[in-house]
Amino acid sequence: MPGGPGTLPYAIAPRTEGTPPVTAFPQARNRRAALLGAVCVLALAGCGDGDPDAGTNGVGKLAADKIQSTSVTAADAADAVRLSGTVVTSGLTYTLDMRLKSDGGSGSVTSKGSTFGLLRIGEELYLKADADFWNSNGDSGAGGALHGKYVKVPQGDPSYKKFSGFTDKDVLLSSLLTLHGSLATDGHHAQNGVRTIRITGDDGSGGTLDVSLEGKPYPLRLVRAGGAGTLTFSDWGKSFTVTQPADDDTVDYGKQLPSS
């Protein structure tokens, strides 16, 4: 009987001298080979039949103008954001690294080789820089006294409107999150590991905007039209604290800054 004493297992045929062994289950081996081949074909094809919007917030399925308006609405509703990158305006390039919320903001701005800090609490705006900054801005006598101090910027000073705009979330985002020309989608991308849908104005000449496909549809990267700068947005909704500087670290110049 098969399987009884003195018999071989049915999966292996007896071997006679000079003949090679016969491997069991050739059908199974062929099936495995076929399966591996199919996997290789799929890998080479890139699994192109998959849905790139599967598991996302669904924004990628919308028309370009709807994607933009949805992202602006999400940005407006967020409590806070971090913004970094460059802005070109009035012929000057500003490099920003700012944290913004509705009632204040803080961070740094670099322009013409000089870096200064900005702090806004409500309507009060402070500028903090070293002596070289103040000396290069028209008052060599004030540099030493102002070095490392929070200088209160008077609201009537010409610098107030320009600098406070860098600390105002609503003002800054409303002026930045704009594309020009005819809007269109430009495929699926990623920013710092987050999947995005990209929209463009006039095929990119009017700017590009990457919008998150994960979680809320926040703007994540903006390339402004006409080479006017590139900005990234992060830490959406992550609140932070802005603290009034100590009196001995503050200088109040009254109605006008010395360099104005």
Side-chain angles (χ1 to χ4, degrees), residues 157-258:
D157 189 275
S159 299
Y160 183 89
K161 183 177 181 180
K162 176 173 67 175
F163 290 145
S164 64
F166 290 136
T167 67
D168 192 313
K169 172 180 173 287
D170 295 335
V171 169
L172 196 56
L173 293 184
S174 64
S175 64
L176 292 176
L177 295 178
T178 301
L179 300 178
H180 302 279
S182 178
L183 300 185
T185 56
D186 186 28
H188 292 70
H189 300 267
Q191 295 297 324
N192 295 322
V194 178
R195 288 180 292 173
T196 66
I197 182 70
R198 180 171 297 169
I199 56 176
T200 66
D202 280 348
D203 295 324
S205 63
T208 69
L209 180 67
D210 278 50
V211 177
S212 176
L213 289 174
E214 302 178 19
K216 295 183 179 180
Y218 291 126
L220 296 185
R221 183 174 185 268
L222 171 72
V223 178
R224 302 183 71 205
T230 299
L231 293 160
T232 58
F233 307 90
S234 60
D235 293 344
W236 286 104
K238 295 183 179 179
S239 190
F240 60 96
T241 302
V242 286
T243 305
Q244 194 81 26
D247 289 342
D248 56 358
D249 285 334
T250 304
V251 175
D252 189 341
Y253 257 87
K255 294 182 178 180
Q256 191 171 20
L257 293 183

Side-chain angles (χ1 to χ4, degrees), residues 10-89:
Y10 71 90
I12 303 177
R15 180 185 176 190
T16 59
E17 180 126 8
T19 62
V22 179
T23 304
F25 305 122
Q27 298 91 343
R29 180 182 61 184
N30 292 338
R31 284 196 299 269
R32 286 196 298 271
L35 179 60
L36 288 173
V39 170
C40 292
V41 170
L42 284 174
L44 291 173
C47 299
D49 292 335
D51 181 359
D53 292 300
T56 71
N57 55 25
V59 171
K61 296 180 181 295
L62 302 178
D65 58 342
K66 184 63 175 177
I67 295 172
Q68 183 185 34
S69 63
T70 300
S71 69
V72 170
T73 298
D76 289 342
D79 295 332
V81 64
R82 182 172 184 173
L83 180 153
S84 58
T86 58
V87 172
V88 181
T89 181

Side-chain angles (χ1 to χ4, degrees), residues 79-81 83 96-109 116-128 153 159-173 175-176 240 242:
D79 295 332
V81 64
L83 180 153
L96 312 179
D97 186 3
M98 301 295 302
R99 298 190 70 185
L100 310 171
K101 58 181 183 177
S102 59
D103 60 348
S106 65
S108 65
V109 178
F116 53 92
L118 289 174
L119 171 66
R120 183 176 63 84
I121 304 169
E123 297 299 318
E124 295 184 344
L125 177 67
Y126 298 89
L127 190 154
K128 184 177 183 180
V153 182
S159 299
Y160 183 89
K161 183 177 181 180
K162 176 173 67 175
F163 290 145
S164 64
F166 290 136
T167 67
D168 192 313
K169 172 180 173 287
D170 295 335
V171 169
L172 196 56
L173 293 184
S175 64
L176 292 176
F240 60 96
V242 286

Side-chain angles (χ1 to χ4, degrees), residues 132-163:
D132 289 341
F133 171 85
W134 294 108
N135 291 340
S136 65
N137 278 275
D139 196 330
S140 58
L146 302 181
H147 176 82
K149 298 288 187 180
Y150 287 95
V151 178
K152 189 172 183 180
V153 182
Q155 292 190 31
D157 189 275
S159 299
Y160 183 89
K161 183 177 181 180
K162 176 173 67 175
F163 290 145

